Amino acid sequence: MATIHLYLASTPHQPEHVTATTPAAWVVILRYADHQKALNNGGYGHTETQLTLRALITALSTLKRHDLPVHVHTTTEPVAAIISEQRYLSWQQNNWQVPETDQPDLPQWQELIPIIEEFPDLTITYHTTDDPTMTTATTTLTAVMTKL
């Protein structure tokens, strides 16, 4: 069975360095068999985590088939860790009590989790931005950023 691959890259902004005028963008390259599609969006004042969550929500929402394996490749380590370790399950069980560092992103996590649960065979892998696996996504991200 073929796997759908999603390659996500976003600007690496940490919360302490983001202002309302900080340019930010995300890119997702979707690949399935010999098909490829790029999704992207940009704006201002968003952290890397916020961008990655929005990218993942958008990408998974575009997929028509939920019965195929989905492998998400991302340059955002915290998002990869939370999803792969299924930390969000304890958040749900504890009435969405999340660590302070994740509180600003809670609305997006609450939107994403039901979508993730629609994909029984979803895996996520963290890659550094210079990993060759991520070249198309990071190159496309650079192009999107130049247009902001």
Side-chain angles (χ1 to χ4, degrees):
M1 183 181 311
T3 300
I4 299 169
H5 290 271
L6 307 177
Y7 300 88
L8 282 71
S10 57
T11 49
H13 297 319
Q14 300 308 311
E16 63 272 10
H17 301 294
V18 174
T19 68
T21 59
T22 304
W26 58 261
V27 167
V28 180
I29 307 298
L30 295 90
R31 288 191 182 142
Y32 174 71
D34 60 349
H35 303 284
Q36 180 170 295
K37 180 178 183 176
L39 305 171
N40 65 74
N41 201 348
Y44 297 89
H46 301 288
T47 66
E48 179 181 16
T49 299
Q50 291 167 339
L51 293 164
T52 301
L53 292 172
R54 180 54 46 206
L56 193 51
I57 290 165
T58 303
L60 291 174
S61 296
T62 66
L63 299 179
K64 294 177 178 78
R65 303 230 4 221
H66 296 200
D67 60 323
L68 295 173
V70 176
H71 191 155
V72 178
H73 306 266
T74 181
T75 57
T76 307
E77 189 171 17
V79 171
I82 289 168
I83 293 171
S84 65
E85 296 167 11
Q86 296 185 320
R87 290 186 220 162
Y88 58 86
L89 294 175
S90 65
W91 295 353
Q92 288 175 309
Q93 292 168 349
N94 295 323
N95 199 25
W96 293 101
Q97 297 298 313
V98 299
E100 189 174 322
T101 56
D102 295 314
Q103 287 176 0
D105 308 315
L106 184 57
Q108 287 179 299
W109 279 111
Q110 290 174 319
E111 183 179 357
L112 175 62
I113 300 313
I115 297 169
I116 284 176
E117 291 173 343
E118 294 176 17
F119 295 89
D121 193 2
L122 184 140
T123 57
I124 188 164
T125 304
Y126 164 72
H127 300 273
T128 60
T129 55
D130 60 352
D131 184 325
T133 303
M134 300 302 290
T135 300
T136 302
T138 55
T139 302
T140 306
L141 178 63
T142 301
V144 171
M145 287 298 293
T146 62
K147 295 179 182 184
L148 290 178

